Amino acid sequence: MISAARRQAALEILELIDSTGQSADRAVAGYLRGRRYIGGGDRRAILEQVYGVLRGQARLDWWILRAGGEVGPRTRLLAWLALTQGETLESLAQDFLGQRHGPQPLNESEKNLLRYLDGKDLSDGSQSESVAFELPEWAVGELRAGLGDRFEQEAAALREPAAVDLRVNTLKSDRETARRALAAEGVEAAPTLLSPLGLRLETRKPIAATKVFSEGMVEVQDEGSQLVVQLVEAAPGLRVVDFCAGAGGKTLALAADMENKGQLLALDVSEGRLRRAKARFRRSGAHNIETRTLRNERDPWLKRRKQAFDRVLVDAPCSGSGTWRRNPDAKWRLRSADLETLADLQGRILESAARLVKPGGRLVYATCSLFALENEKRVEAFLEAHPDFSLLPASEVLPRVAEGRGDAWLKLLPGRDGTDGFFAAVLRREDA
């Protein structure tokens, strides 16, 4: 594809996101699925533009409005090209000609915008804090409460792209064998620093197209997510529940830790998610997983399994603020009122999941959130209402990761740790 066609494709995806409210990932997947003729190099170039615009949206809008322009997908793309790629009115006019597969010619307002932006940078010292850090205004205070004196470093890290991490499936391979197999297919990866099962890609590659992936030797999973599963300590022979299994990534890691021995239940309210997860289970060679669709977090089935399990993992539905590096558009769909709704749901889920834990058993509560309301405050409220549970310091379970951080729970941060933002607390039911 010529550069004009790449620009047009990026613009069409941005317009689709803007007009439908779809997530960027879904819009991109749908667009590319219908255009399989677009090659790998072109796809990467298109996605660089799409996600570049999404990551810089607040600052782009700030500049567009300052120039007297009208904010929209097209002006955002033009502003991104000018502010981050060094494009000028003259260079962009060569692509915006209205030719087949290319964008329509620049109008006078767009030309004025490009003249105004010439020589300027995306970031500017006069931008407000929320604009500079690409955050909704309401989220600044919430993130400060959750991050403390690390707010600025972590907010800056959230603007950057995330790495691609893999978890080695120990049912089929080990880390070094998987690393060498990937290298033989042209995919270079290095061991992750915190997770003993992780590999981090040196450059983005289509992992799903590799033999290593199709044979189940690796799964795509952020290093932080891998560490959350390790807090469960799901050993062979135990009875374990993944309460909010979703697409099954953590379920697979639990099955590997259990060496396919013992009972592992994957629960979720979405039958579709569990159905799709089963294909992943088969590819990985995990045979001890049972799935069950729940009506809701208070499904009567749960009452009949009171205190029947050694380990229960609750990867709770949350704001996803710890994953905003991967999903930069998600922050703009979230509202402050959503946090209260999510916190209430998280409390109900914890209440139900706790009933499954046997005396001496373990309940691990986790989110991919950086907000204290979904994390520390949720755990503190649970412990106050359940004196039969106590907090088991994360440093006792994962000393090499959690020691010296000053918290009884595990907090993983993009800027400090290079992972997605995660919170996890280990709650132990007292012996009878």
Side-chain angles (χ1 to χ4, degrees):
M1 296 175 73
I2 60 174
S3 62
R6 289 174 171 180
R7 310 261 200 248
Q8 179 61 22
L11 179 58
E12 289 173 3
I13 294 172
L14 289 168
E15 289 174 338
L16 184 63
I17 294 168
D18 187 67
S19 63
T20 66
Q22 289 185 54
S23 70
D25 285 350
R26 179 172 294 183
V28 165
Y31 185 88
L32 294 178
R33 192 183 305 117
R35 296 164 177 82
R36 298 190 183 278
Y37 54 84
I38 300 178
D42 290 321
R43 288 182 180 223
R44 285 189 291 274
I46 292 165
L47 295 186
E48 179 187 9
Q49 295 177 77
V50 170
Y51 282 94
V53 169
L54 295 175
R55 292 184 197 288
Q57 180 172 309
R59 288 170 291 172
L60 293 172
D61 289 359
W62 185 87
W63 276 115
I64 293 167
L65 292 172
R66 195 178 180 91
E70 184 176 341
V71 170
R74 186 172 157 105
T75 50
R76 284 171 177 163
L77 178 60
L78 289 170
W80 181 81
L81 291 167
L83 293 167
T84 70
Q85 306 301 300
E87 298 279 6
T88 64
L89 169 58
E90 290 72 24
S91 64
L92 287 172
Q94 304 305 308
D95 283 340
F96 286 70
L97 292 171
Q99 294 178 340
R100 189 183 180 199
H101 304 308
Q104 291 300 306
L106 300 170
N107 60 38
E108 284 306 311
S109 176
E110 292 166 345
K111 290 177 181 178
N112 289 335
L113 171 65
L114 291 170
R115 292 188 188 101
Y116 181 82
L117 297 178
D118 190 23
K120 295 180 172 62
D121 296 319
L122 182 59
S123 294
D124 184 89
S126 61
Q127 290 168 345
S128 68
E129 195 170 50
S130 63
V131 170
F133 288 123
E134 295 287 333
L135 296 170
E137 287 188 15
W138 65 264
V140 172
E142 294 289 348
L143 282 175
R144 281 196 179 280
L147 296 170
D149 59 8
R150 288 204 57 85
F151 167 76
E152 291 192 3
Q153 299 95 314
E154 298 304 330
L158 283 174
R159 296 182 309 196
E160 303 303 317
V164 177
D165 292 341
L166 308 176
R167 178 185 56 80
V168 176
N169 177 16
T170 54
L171 295 175
K172 292 196 170 185
S173 188
D174 59 73
R175 183 153 71 172
E176 182 56 22
T177 300
R179 187 193 67 78
R180 290 177 179 174
L182 285 166
E185 295 193 68
V187 180
E188 296 296 331
T192 49
L193 297 178
L194 300 176
S195 170
L197 301 175
L199 290 169
R200 178 160 293 177
L201 300 195
E202 295 184 4
T203 57
R204 287 182 174 271
K205 296 281 187 176
I207 290 298
T210 65
K211 185 178 179 182
V212 176
F213 179 83
S214 64
E215 292 185 351
M217 293 173 64
V218 297
E219 287 285 336
V220 178
Q221 186 176 36
D222 181 77
E223 183 182 17
S225 181
Q226 297 176 37
L227 294 170
V228 167
V229 173
Q230 289 165 34
L231 286 175
V232 178
E233 292 191 315
L238 295 183
R239 301 189 71 197
V240 180
V241 172
D242 187 356
F243 198 88
C244 304
K250 291 183 177 67
T251 312
L252 285 170
L254 292 168
D257 287 346
M258 297 171 71
E259 301 174 11
N260 266 336
K261 301 170 184 175
Q263 183 185 24
L264 175 55
L265 267 64
L267 310 180
D268 202 88
V269 294
S270 171
E271 183 178 358
R273 282 197 293 262
L274 289 177
R275 185 171 58 250
R276 290 190 293 273
K278 288 180 181 179
R280 300 179 71 186
F281 300 161
R282 288 192 294 271
R283 187 179 68 243
S284 74
H287 305 306
N288 66 327
I289 303 172
E290 303 172 37
T291 63
R292 184 172 187 88
T293 305
L294 301 178
R295 298 180 197 171
N296 52 46
E297 73 278 0
R298 295 192 177 106
D299 193 299
W301 180 89
L302 299 169
K303 296 180 181 179
R304 299 192 293 271
R305 273 74 183 175
K306 183 178 179 181
Q307 297 188 14
F309 296 92
D310 302 285
R311 302 283 191 271
V312 177
L313 171 62
V314 174
D315 180 17
C318 69
S319 65
S321 51
T323 67
W324 282 349
R325 298 183 306 164
R326 301 183 190 280
N327 308 296
D329 55 309
K331 70 185 77 168
W332 306 116
R333 294 194 298 272
L334 191 69
R335 300 289 179 266
S336 58
D338 297 334
L339 285 190
E340 294 290 345
T341 301
L342 285 165
D344 181 63
L345 175 61
Q346 291 153 4
R348 298 199 309 269
I349 289 174
L350 260 178
E351 189 77 28
S352 289
R355 290 183 295 187
L356 302 177
V357 182
K358 64 169 54 174
R362 185 178 300 180
L363 171 64
V364 176
Y365 172 76
T367 74
C368 53
S369 171
L370 296 171
F371 295 137
L373 183 62
E374 299 183 281
N375 297 337
E376 295 93 333
K377 291 183 180 180
R378 197 57 29 232
V379 172
E380 289 164 357
F382 174 83
L383 289 173
E384 185 176 352
H386 295 83
D388 55 331
F389 278 85
S390 61
L391 191 64
L392 178 61
S395 58
E396 293 184 17
V397 185
L398 289 179
R400 60 189 166 72
V401 176
E403 264 185 344
R405 300 200 177 187
D407 291 327
W409 30 65
L410 180 68
K411 291 182 74 171
L412 298 167
L413 305 175
R416 182 186 64 194
D417 303 310
T419 67
D420 284 348
F422 275 98
F423 171 91
V426 183
L427 308 167
R428 183 182 181 276
R429 172 165 252 147
E430 301 301 327
D431 293 316

